[in-house]
Amino acid sequence: LPKFDKMADLKRSACYYVTVICIILMAGNPTNAEQTVPLPTLQQLDWQDLEVSAMLCFNLQTICRYAKQGGTTPQRCQAGGAEGALYVPDMETVASWDPSNIDTDEWARVSASFGAKYIVLVADHMTGFTLWDTKVHNYSITHTKYKGGGADVVVDLIASCKKYGLKLGFFYSVHFNWYLGVDGFKVGHPPLGPKSYTQDEYLKLAMAQLKEIISLFGEEGPLEVWFDGGTEIGNPTISSVLMEAAPNAVCHSCLPNFTAGGSVRWMGNENGQMPLPSWGGFGGFGGSPLGPYFSPPSSDTVLREHYWFYQNNTETKTKSLVELVHTYLTSVGRSSNLILSICPDGTGAIPQSDVERYAELGNAIKNLFSNELANLQGSAMPTNSSTWLLDGKNITSKNISIVIRENQTNGQLINMWSLDCKYAGEWQPCEMGSLAGAIPKVPGAGVGHKRILMLAPTADGALEGLRFNVLSSFESPISKAVPTLRDVALYDWSSFIGVYL
């Protein structure tokens, strides 16, 4: 299906470069990598608790057009469809663009409607066109007809996110900037702008832009800075800018020392399907329990398959509600944040059919957790076991889901584990259920931030007790730390399965 040409390749490239560095780090520090788990930062743990994000994909790719329509540059920006590739609009077309239906309050409301707790705004996406009033050049939303000129979408969205209680981060491209003549981190590409630059000149301009946009967030700073395609291997200039201007932000596709908040990572596909087992430590798409540093995963995907920016006549590509619920279970349910695209059209409005599907997803997720049967407080497990008795709760549902959360303050320690269920006064291994590939019958290793699982609908009588057993675990660098659960919750999914699946 048509999609942005280089998106997935660039993510794979970024993961390759960071993996190379990690191999070097592990070789230089084998004791830590072999014997203890990496520790998360408080910012990483807070970021995982947010769980769901909207990625607002609105930039020049939104109004790319076929060359035969006129008003384009030679620079391709999307794969397009049967009529050929799409191209970046020329300067005259950009200057006359009037996205008069931009409503950042609506963007925030729609994000919140499906449970998003934060937004990642695509503030700059490869063309060099920015959604804030950059002083580096005139290639920005400020120099279009939007609001008569002089407006700043980033400033407006910051205010809207505060109004609706959402966190905000931004997506910025350093690997491509076609306005300045940069392609694959290197200058020398034919620029869309009036002049070419040396590598040093470009780096200074890019760092100036980073400082600009970060300054708009005020003292709190952005939640996340996302460098799709990475930052080039260990770029010390970017690291120094982020450490000074946004020290508490988590940094997507960065080395761990780029911010005090730490890094987060891509997990290898754009389908929202986190590989299992799911580890917070860096090392491959599924992570590694003994990786050189903690870098929790994010699982990104699109509403319309497979379009990262709006294109006309793609309504039939909208994912079904069942597909989206499965995506929630294969991301959040596997200890990975879910990143779901929102793609306003060329006027800035979110298509009404998309608005309705997002709301349906939000209602389905609420339904998942609407009928709580038990909420069991977790604790440290020095004996590698926790037991809860459920006397008097009369839990007889045949559709029970189990949500398990590990306390990762001292690292992700739980490796292999099992569950025992008590029926009619007898303990026995729980028979686990599955859900159309979204929830595996064999949970496998690891817990991490959150696992969403099911019991098989085969047991007779009431569930009287639950026991969690740690079969093997990893060592924390914190002395005397032991595997610890935050909590275990049981839900009745009878209405969910009947309505949504």
Side-chain angles (χ1 to χ4, degrees):
L1 292 174
K3 60 177 288 187
F4 173 65
D5 287 337
K6 298 184 179 180
M7 179 85 67
D9 289 341
L10 289 166
K11 288 175 179 173
R12 284 189 286 269
S13 174
C15 287
Y16 167 77
Y17 285 127
V18 178
T19 300
V20 169
I21 294 172
C22 288
I23 292 171
I24 296 171
L25 290 172
M26 292 173 71
N29 190 9
T31 302
N32 182 66
E34 292 172 2
Q35 295 186 357
T36 63
V37 299
L39 292 178
T41 66
L42 292 178
Q43 293 91 334
Q44 288 170 323
L45 295 178
D46 289 344
W47 178 85
Q48 286 188 295
D49 278 341
L50 297 174
E51 294 187 347
V52 179
S53 169
M55 175 170 277
L56 264 161
C57 300
F58 181 78
N59 212 277
L60 276 195
Q61 280 78 8
T62 305
I63 60 168
C64 285
R65 56 180 66 184
Y66 297 110
K68 69 179 183 180
Q69 295 173 294
T72 62
T73 69
Q75 178 64 58
R76 289 179 58 176
C77 73
Q78 288 198 66
E83 297 180 71
L86 295 169
Y87 293 84
V88 177
D90 61 22
M91 298 304 159
E92 183 178 351
T93 302
V94 173
S96 63
W97 183 24
D98 184 10
S100 56
N101 290 327
I102 289 178
D103 181 348
T104 56
D105 276 5
E106 182 198 36
W107 291 2
R109 285 194 302 269
V110 172
S111 299
S113 75
F114 62 87
K117 298 296 188 294
Y118 67 106
I119 292 173
V120 177
L121 174 67
V122 179
D124 169 291
H125 190 270
M126 300 187 174
T127 64
F129 182 88
T130 71
L131 295 184
W132 76 95
D133 183 15
T134 179
K135 306 307 178 186
V136 169
H137 50 61
N138 293 334
Y139 199 51
S140 74
I141 195 75
T142 309
H143 297 276
T144 68
K145 298 297 184 182
Y146 173 55
K147 289 186 176 180
D152 189 313
V153 169
V154 174
V155 169
D156 292 346
L157 188 57
I158 289 171
S160 294
C161 285
K162 289 180 179 178
K163 180 177 179 179
Y164 289 94
L166 301 175
K167 301 290 187 180
L168 180 63
F170 66 89
F171 175 119
Y172 179 80
S173 299
V174 292
H175 55 335
F176 289 87
N177 189 313
W178 295 321
Y179 184 81
L180 301 179
V182 176
D183 195 280
F185 296 107
K186 302 298 182 184
V187 298
H189 190 71
L192 298 177
K195 61 172 291 188
S196 297
Y197 296 87
T198 67
Q199 199 71 25
D200 286 344
E201 287 172 334
Y202 167 63
L203 190 58
K204 289 178 181 178
L205 294 176
M207 295 310 97
Q209 285 195 324
L210 272 178
K211 292 177 182 178
E212 282 180 348
I213 188 171
I214 290 170
S215 70
L216 301 177
F217 286 80
E219 185 175 345
E220 182 178 353
L223 170 75
E224 178 175 351
V225 181
W226 183 315
F227 295 102
D228 200 48
T231 59
E232 204 172 20
I233 298 178
N235 192 312
T237 305
I238 295 177
S239 174
S240 63
V241 168
L242 292 180
M243 194 62 81
E244 178 182 350
N248 292 316
V250 295
C251 190
H252 194 291
S253 302
C254 300
L255 291 178
N257 61 348
F258 271 40
T259 68
S263 71
V264 297
R265 73 178 198 272
W266 188 52
M267 36 55 79
N269 65 71
E270 294 180 348
N271 303 316
Q273 296 179 358
M274 179 64 200
L276 289 173
S278 174
W279 302 107
F282 187 87
F285 292 136
S288 169
L290 298 173
Y293 58 87
F294 196 81
S295 183
S298 62
S299 300
D300 58 342
T301 194
V302 294
L303 181 67
R304 299 187 183 189
E305 187 66 50
H306 194 90
Y307 295 90
W308 280 104
F309 292 91
Y310 177 82
Q311 283 192 32
N312 286 325
N313 304 316
T314 57
E315 291 83 1
T316 60
K317 304 299 183 181
T318 304
K319 291 180 178 176
S320 70
L321 180 56
V322 170
E323 288 177 291
L324 292 170
V325 171
H326 280 205
T327 299
Y328 176 84
L329 295 173
T330 59
S331 54
V332 175
R334 298 180 181 181
S335 299
S336 176
N337 282 20
L338 169 61
I339 318 296
L340 181 60
S341 69
I342 293 180
C343 302
D345 64 23
T347 74
I350 303 171
Q352 184 59 33
S353 62
D354 292 5
V355 172
E356 293 170 0
R357 184 53 46 86
Y358 291 125
E360 290 171 352
L361 174 60
N363 288 333
I365 293 172
K366 288 177 183 177
N367 191 278
L368 283 173
F369 309 112
S370 64
N371 192 354
E372 185 179 273
L373 300 173
N375 194 312
L376 312 172
Q377 186 63 42
S379 61
M381 295 179 284
T383 60
N384 289 327
S385 181
S386 281
T387 300
W388 301 272
L389 298 179
L390 304 172
D391 298 337
K393 292 187 179 292
N394 194 31
I395 299 176
T396 59
S397 172
K398 295 291 187 179
N399 297 296
I400 297 176
S401 72
I402 301 180
V403 179
I404 307 171
R405 299 196 301 167
E406 182 177 357
N407 184 330
Q408 299 179 101
T409 304
N410 296 322
Q412 187 178 353
L413 302 182
I414 298 171
N415 183 24
M416 299 303 299
W417 54 275
S418 67
L419 283 173
D420 294 333
C421 292
K422 186 179 182 182
Y423 293 100
E426 299 292 331
W427 287 99
Q428 57 188 276
C430 296
E431 184 176 354
M432 305 304 292
S434 62
L435 183 63
I439 297 178
K441 184 173 179 61
V442 180
V447 175
H449 171 70
K450 177 180 283 187
R451 293 293 304 277
I452 300 177
L453 302 164
M454 294 181 67
L455 293 182
T458 55
D460 293 323
L463 178 63
E464 300 170 353
L466 192 70
R467 183 163 58 212
F468 184 93
N469 308 300
V470 179
L471 305 179
S472 63
S473 61
F474 300 101
E475 183 179 346
S476 170
I478 305 301
S479 176
K480 300 181 180 180
V482 297
T484 303
L485 292 177
R486 293 175 73 177
D487 49 45
V488 176
L490 307 180
Y491 297 91
D492 185 351
W493 273 9
S494 297
S495 62
F496 166 75
I497 291 176
V499 174
Y500 295 103
L501 294 178

